[in-house]
Structures are given as C-alpha cells and as structure tokens.
Amino acid sequence: MNELAAILRHLNTSSAPSVLATLVTVSGSSYRRPGARLLLTHDRQRIGSISGGCLEEDVLARAARVFETGTPDLVTYDTTSENDLVWGVGLGCHGVVQVLIEKLPPRPAWAATAAANLAAHRPTALAVVYVSENPLHLGTYLAPLGATSVSESPNTPSTRIFLNTLPAPTALLIFGAGDDARPLVRLAKELGWHVTVADPRRDFATAERFPLADRLIIAPADELTARAATIPHALAVVMTHHYVHDVPILRDLLTSPDFRYIGLLGPKKRAERILADLRQSGATFQPDALARLHAPVGLDLGAETPEDVALSIVAEIRAFLSQRDARPLRDRTQPIHS
C-alpha cells in the first residue's frame, strides 16, 4: 500500500503526464501479483515495481516509448523456460505475466478518487482494459465496487479487463506510547498502514516521539478506546506496561465490535490475571470476542529487543490479515499465492 500511496500522491500533485505500468495477468509463478504498479514520471523517476527487479529495465524502456507515442503497450513476459534464455537473466520464475503500459494525463480522475477513498478508509475498484479492438479504450478506469473479477467482457469478447479493488489501508491502533512502541510504528508505516498512538500520558504521546503516526490520542485509559474507535475493522495492540491502564483498555476493546484483532503485550499469566479481574468486576465476554485476543501478542521469533518485538507483532498481524499460519515457506505444500 505504501508504493500505491506514493503513486497516487504523485499523480494528484504533478502537472505533467506520466506512464503507468500495471501487472494485469499472471500464469504460474511470479514475484508480484496482478495489481502491482510501476509509475514512470515525466522526469524519468520511478515509483513502485511490477517484479523483483528483473523486468523493470525492459518495462522502463518501453514506458519511455509510450511516453513519446502515447500509444498503450501490452507486453507479455514468458519466464517458463528453465534457463530464461530470452531475457538472459535467469529469472527462473516459471510464469507468464502481462503488463499494460499506458500514458496518463496530469491528475487523472480515477487517481483523485482513489486517494480520497484511501484517506477516508474506503476501498476503490479499478478496471484496467488491457485488450480492446479500439486502442483508445486501453487503460485504467474507475469501476463499481463489488464488480466481479472477470478477464473478458461478455458483450465484447475481444475486450479483456482486469478488475482490481484497492483496499482501505490497514488501521493499527497502538495503546501505549512507550519507547518500544516507536519501532512498531515505524514498521507499520513501512507497510503503508494507518497508525494511531493512544496513551493517557501527555508527555509520551507526542509528535516529536512519534513523527510517523497518523493520529495521536491523549485521554484517560477508560476513554481511550471510545476516542480511538473511529475506523472500522481496526487492529489494536495494547502495550502501556501499566496494569491499571491495560485493564480498562482491554475491557473496552473486547466489548467493542470495531476491532477484529486485539494484541496484548506481556506474559500469558498477566493476560489471564487481567481477564480474571475483569470477570470478577462483572464483565462478560463472548467467545468470538476472546477469539480476537492474541495474548501474548506476536510470533515466537525469540525476540529480545524492542525492534525484535515489533517485528514479531507485525509478522503475526500480517499472517492474520492473510489468513496464514506463519509457518516456514519450505513447509508449505500449496502455492505461495492463491
């Protein structure tokens, strides 16, 4: 999402045309999946990628020609050959990919809508026409949300369309503004997530300490969750290191439907004690609420430093979002990508 945000930022602020390469089909194995994008700016700067670096040089050379002619170009890269003699770089991906390269005018309308939707935490549906009898129809357009992903238009069989939904950015709420929250914010922002830091302590939740955070919330512990719960389907990590703060925060998170993932930093016995204290005070939790609780939060990576801990938390959340079990890829018997 980070590279997409950078592409949209350029498209919506530059007054010059640019060229966009979109990965529209993949057959077999490929480093990137359909929807990956690479933008070539008017001053020959590049933003994003459509492979691991093996196809970019050829795509950029073709993009320069599209810049001059204005004619879209659909390119097929076949890396199924064992030795990849065609490209001479030994890709070994064993896949066939197609990339549409199109010239964009300054500030295309679909880019403005996509950027506005990202800011409002809404998804955007795009349709990329990559085969058409009329070359003027090739390119990227807005599409209705919920449109079925199809590769061929039923009304015009000679037209092929890639439908791509740009999801709303992942929203992570970090309850606790201690020093160990800082690397977690940095890693989450590297992934393009929208990050909120909430803490009762005014001296901790500051812009100087968290310059990358999208939001800072300062309120009493028993008000933090209500103040923060403005983004649907958010993820939460509780790491205040203060028992008296964690108790009301966790209580409110478990009783709120707005949080699909709740992580609690600290030993398992501490989490059990918090839940026991909450039940003793009269709180009740539905099984589906407790199923959202990850305590202790993070994967078992042998983490020791704050950076290690942040990595284990982000890795677990990434696996949760992808509905994967975070096993080593060498143990996976299914394809890496669905």
Side-chain angles (χ1 to χ4, degrees):
M1 187 61 71
N2 218 15
E3 65 181 20
L4 173 62
I7 288 174
L8 293 176
R9 190 180 307 115
H10 178 86
L11 290 178
N12 287 313
T13 57
S14 175
S15 58
S18 55
V19 172
L20 180 66
T22 304
L23 182 58
V24 290
T25 71
V26 170
S27 176
S29 179
S30 173
Y31 185 83
R32 298 295 303 269
R33 306 308 296 165
R37 290 174 169 85
L38 169 64
L39 186 76
L40 179 66
T41 69
H42 69 286
D43 55 357
R44 300 304 189 263
Q45 299 297 310
R46 52 187 278 187
I47 306 173
S49 67
I50 46 89
S51 76
C54 43
L55 301 179
E56 268 70 8
E57 290 306 315
D58 186 74
V59 169
L60 290 171
R62 293 174 181 270
R65 291 197 290 271
V66 171
F67 222 121
E68 298 300 324
T69 65
T71 303
D73 186 10
L74 179 67
V75 191
T76 300
Y77 297 98
D78 187 344
T79 65
T80 55
S81 169
E82 189 66 31
N83 296 317
D84 249 309
L85 295 179
V86 173
W87 302 107
V89 292
L91 302 181
C93 292
H94 300 284
V96 180
V97 302
Q98 288 185 300
V99 179
L100 178 71
I101 306 172
E102 59 176 306
K103 187 175 182 179
L104 298 178
R107 299 172 185 172
W110 65 262
T113 299
N117 284 342
L118 282 179
H121 298 272
R122 295 189 300 257
T124 303
L126 297 179
V128 183
V129 180
Y130 62 95
V131 174
S132 175
E133 292 180 348
N134 186 345
L136 296 178
H137 292 167
L138 299 177
T140 302
Y141 306 88
L142 288 171
L145 272 178
T148 304
S149 180
V150 296
S151 61
E152 191 173 281
S153 171
N155 297 324
T156 53
S158 60
T159 299
R160 293 184 180 274
I161 305 170
F162 166 59
L163 293 179
N164 177 213
T165 298
L166 310 179
T170 298
L172 174 64
L173 279 68
I174 302 172
F175 293 89
D179 289 344
D180 56 351
R182 299 170 75 178
L184 180 55
V185 172
R186 290 196 298 269
L187 279 180
K189 291 304 296 179
E190 282 288 329
L191 296 176
W193 296 356
H194 183 279
V195 180
T196 297
V197 177
D199 196 288
R201 301 163 294 182
R202 185 173 299 276
D203 292 341
F204 281 68
T206 66
E208 291 73 23
R209 286 171 51 78
F210 295 95
L212 298 179
D214 297 283
R215 286 196 307 167
L216 294 173
I217 299 176
I218 303 167
D222 58 359
E223 298 178 13
L224 276 180
T225 301
R227 292 275 300 275
T230 59
I231 302 174
H233 310 300
L235 316 167
V237 174
V238 183
M239 49 192 307
T240 72
H241 298 285
H242 286 264
Y243 194 85
V244 295
H245 294 159
D246 284 358
V247 170
I249 292 172
L250 188 62
R251 176 199 64 207
D252 294 341
L253 288 173
L254 288 172
T255 55
S256 171
D258 295 326
F259 299 91
R260 52 180 169 158
Y261 173 101
I262 303 167
L264 177 63
L265 188 68
K268 182 175 292 187
K269 288 185 176 180
R270 183 176 183 272
E272 292 171 348
R273 180 186 168 191
I274 291 177
L275 291 174
D277 287 351
L278 287 171
R279 290 189 176 101
Q280 189 173 1
S281 68
T284 59
F285 306 111
Q286 298 299 320
D288 63 331
L290 293 175
R292 293 183 280 128
L293 178 60
H294 299 253
V297 66
L299 297 181
D300 184 5
L301 304 181
E304 295 184 4
T305 68
E307 290 76 14
D308 290 340
V309 173
L311 175 62
S312 75
I313 294 172
V314 168
E316 183 184 55
I317 293 176
R318 181 64 258 179
F320 168 81
L321 294 173
S322 302
Q323 298 182 331
R324 296 292 181 89
D325 58 9
R327 73 175 66 186
L329 285 175
R330 69 177 182 179
D331 296 338
R332 184 174 175 83
T333 58
Q334 300 296 321
I336 295 175
H337 299 291
S338 301

